[in-house]
Amino acid sequence: MDVHSIRKDFYILVNSDLVYLDNAASSLKPKPVIDMINFYNERLGVNVHRGVYRLSHEATELYEGAREKVAKLLNCRFEEVVFTRGTSSALNLVASSLGMQIIELGDEIITSELEHHSSMLPWQNVARKKNAKLVFVPLDEDKRITVENFKKVLSDKTKVVALNYISNAMGYITPIKEIIRLAHEKGAIVIVDSAQAAPHMPIDVKDLDCDFLAFSGHKMCGPTGIGVLYGKHHLLQTMEPVEFGGDMIDTVELSCATFKETPYKFETGTPIIGGAIGLGAAIDYINSIGYDFIMQQDNILRDYMLQEMKNINGITIYNPKTDTGIVSFNIDGVHPHDAATVFDQENVAIRAGHHCAQPLMRCLNQVATIRASTYFYNTKEDIDRFIQAIHKAKAFFDSFI
Ligand code: 7TS
């Protein structure tokens, strides 16, 4: 696999000198995905599940075909794939539906300070409404979730465990399989936030044995506005819908209604048709690249980036032992948002901020960090330009001292 030929699929990479290192926020979108979304809009453009005419039948086949692609990607059943707007809405769906049904006074919900807000806040809400307790896995000295520390908070009161698979701010891979095994011994339900994992590593939900898992299309070469909630079939069946209206019903009386089977009872109204079809194309694209290549690129670029960054005095790296291509750092004495303006002048796109992980920022004693995050289309030359931008930012702000 040749990175330079892969880059030709990305308009911005060919037609500008952009160094794109904000992949943890969103990936770039390749031409085959854009073509497929255009195909739906231009050639079909109609609603699904109204299959009396040919166009609608074709759109339905593509929409449901995308669900099949997701099922194959995750190694689950077709009925276990619910399309959502993204990871956030998938995680909210589990909490608002299952969470509100099963959590009772005094129950414990385990999460961590390493979570993206989307993995933590839906459970904060459930805990507040049900007088349950949120319990946080103590992070180790590197701010990692470990099995050992998870055991310290797991108890007979644990009903739900909501954790990330890969941290968006630190790039750590959570030892989730062992955590799931231990949680199941206590009868707890485990929800895995895989927003950062799905783009970068193969996921087998049968092997993990997770109860729920969520990810977004836009971080893995797909469009914005589409995501997936995987749920074990028997659990999805027990869950009540949280949105009511078109498309999700069987029969409607004036004072009651019955609902379709999962996943359709959770996909209210006209679904995210173009989004799902685009996600299907993104899965095909990722499969054509291959997770082996993606992980190899992440490792090569991570090692090179860290090696080069360690040679620079006056920067603090918060996750020098990152497992992925996500590196969080600050230039000593410079606010990350100020530094970000210099990166932008160099046409190097990184993210400066709290990364929707304010509790983690507090653990790091920072208000924000600069985060560089790679994907398979990045090159060592990109990292060189990024390193130069750090030097420029340092020189610029040093001149004020
Ligand atoms: N969980 C993790 C681990 C994430 O990284 C993100 C998005 C989400 C959940 C929410 O996904 P969404 O598609 O619903 O927004 N993370 C980031 C980020 O790190 N920078 O911008 C978005």
Side-chain angles (χ1 to χ4, degrees):
M1 196 66 59
D2 169 35
V3 187
H4 293 282
S5 65
I6 290 174
R7 287 171 71 88
K8 292 187 186 133
D9 291 334
F10 296 85
Y11 181 89
I12 299 173
L13 297 181
V14 176
N15 292 288
S16 75
D17 71 342
L18 173 72
V19 171
Y20 187 69
L21 290 171
D22 195 17
N23 293 287
S26 210
S27 75
L28 302 176
K29 292 28 172 177
K31 190 162 184 328
V33 171
I34 295 163
D35 286 348
M36 186 48 109
I37 298 166
N38 286 345
F39 174 82
Y40 163 70
N41 284 312
E42 193 177 270
R43 306 291 174 88
L44 303 172
V46 299
N47 218 319
V48 292
H49 306 146
R50 320 276 194 278
V52 281
Y53 51 95
R54 193 181 49 79
L55 280 186
S56 177
H57 182 68
E58 220 178 300
T60 306
E61 291 219 317
L62 283 175
Y63 178 70
E64 297 300 347
R67 198 187 308 276
E68 250 157 43
K69 287 176 194 205
V70 174
K72 210 162 161 222
L73 184 80
L74 299 179
N75 188 25
C76 68
R77 284 163 59 179
F78 177 87
E79 303 80 23
E80 295 177 317
V81 176
V82 181
F83 283 128
T84 67
R85 279 193 301 109
T87 307
S88 303
S89 62
L91 297 173
N92 271 278
L93 172 57
V94 185
S96 313
S97 175
L98 184 92
M100 293 305 275
Q101 286 169 227
I102 66 165
I103 296 294
E104 290 166 3
L105 175 75
D107 284 345
E108 292 187 355
I109 299 163
I110 297 181
T111 183
S112 87
E113 289 163 290
L114 191 56
E115 299 311 301
H116 186 282
H117 296 159
S118 293
S119 172
M120 184 196 292
L121 267 54
W123 294 104
Q124 247 183 28
N125 184 44
V126 173
R128 195 174 54 242
K129 288 191 173 136
K130 296 287 183 171
N131 281 318
K133 193 174 165 201
L134 272 192
V135 181
F136 296 89
V137 184
L139 302 180
D140 79 356
E141 59 181 15
D142 295 329
K143 313 294 178 222
R144 226 179 241 280
I145 297 167
T146 62
V147 172
E148 210 170 80
N149 284 354
F150 176 72
K151 284 184 190 159
K152 291 181 190 158
V153 287
L154 182 65
S155 82
D156 292 335
K157 290 185 185 163
T158 309
K159 268 275 181 69
V160 161
V161 176
L163 292 174
N164 69 80
Y165 200 164
I166 294 182
S167 150
N168 68 316
M170 300 295 262
Y172 296 146
I173 300 175
T174 306
I176 203 74
K177 191 172 166 182
E178 180 61 3
I179 285 176
I180 292 166
R181 196 185 65 74
L182 293 166
H184 283 169
E185 281 180 5
K186 299 284 183 193
I189 299 237
V190 185
I191 299 114
V192 185
D193 172 356
S194 293
Q196 297 296 338
H200 293 271
M201 59 199 265
I203 294 175
D204 181 333
V205 292
K206 288 265 164 10
D207 180 53
L208 288 178
D209 198 26
C210 53
D211 299 293
F212 295 93
L213 182 140
F215 68 90
S216 302
H218 70 94
K219 293 185 202 283
M220 50 186 295
C221 295
T224 52
I226 184 77
V228 167
L229 175 67
Y230 155 79
K232 280 184 179 162
H233 190 246
H234 72 97
L235 292 172
L236 289 173
Q237 272 182 313
T238 64
M239 281 165 57
E240 287 167 19
V242 289
E243 285 187 349
F244 301 85
D247 242 22
M248 49 80 73
I249 54 89
D250 263 339
T251 54
V252 177
E253 304 291 337
L254 284 185
S255 58
C256 62
T258 58
F259 309 121
K260 281 184 181 155
E261 291 289 314
T262 185
Y264 302 106
K265 66 177 174 182
F266 300 114
E267 294 179 6
T268 310
T270 297
I272 313 156
I273 307 168
I277 292 171
L279 174 61
I283 291 172
D284 287 343
Y285 187 80
I286 295 277
N287 284 335
S288 76
I289 302 288
Y291 279 108
D292 284 348
F293 180 77
I294 294 173
M295 292 190 295
Q296 182 190 320
Q297 274 290 94
D298 282 338
N299 289 342
I300 291 171
L301 294 169
R302 183 258 331 269
D303 289 350
Y304 185 58
M305 180 154 58
L306 284 174
Q307 171 202 309
E308 295 300 301
M309 288 176 81
K310 281 174 187 162
N311 291 333
I312 305 174
N313 289 328
I315 64 172
T316 303
I317 303 172
Y318 300 106
N319 59 342
K321 295 182 197 155
T322 177
D323 299 318
T324 59
I326 293 176
V327 176
S328 264
F329 69 104
N330 271 323
I331 299 174
D332 299 345
V334 180
H335 193 285
H337 287 124
D338 292 338
T341 60
V342 178
F343 284 91
D344 185 41
Q345 279 162 16
E346 297 300 308
N347 213 8
V348 175
I350 44 81
R351 181 168 175 197
H354 53 62
H355 316 297
C356 301
Q358 285 186 9
L360 176 74
M361 292 298 121
R362 257 171 241 128
C363 293
L364 296 173
N365 287 320
Q366 299 299 318
V367 283
T369 70
I370 303 169
R371 180 189 66 185
S373 51
T374 64
Y375 209 11
F376 56 84
Y377 39 68
N378 287 120
T379 59
K380 282 190 170 177
E381 292 76 48
D382 286 345
I383 305 299
D384 290 338
R385 292 256 316 274
F386 162 70
I387 297 292
Q388 274 170 28
I390 300 179
H391 284 296
K392 287 219 166 138
K394 267 178 61 57
F396 178 74
F397 291 104
D398 281 352
S399 67
F400 291 103
I401 299 173

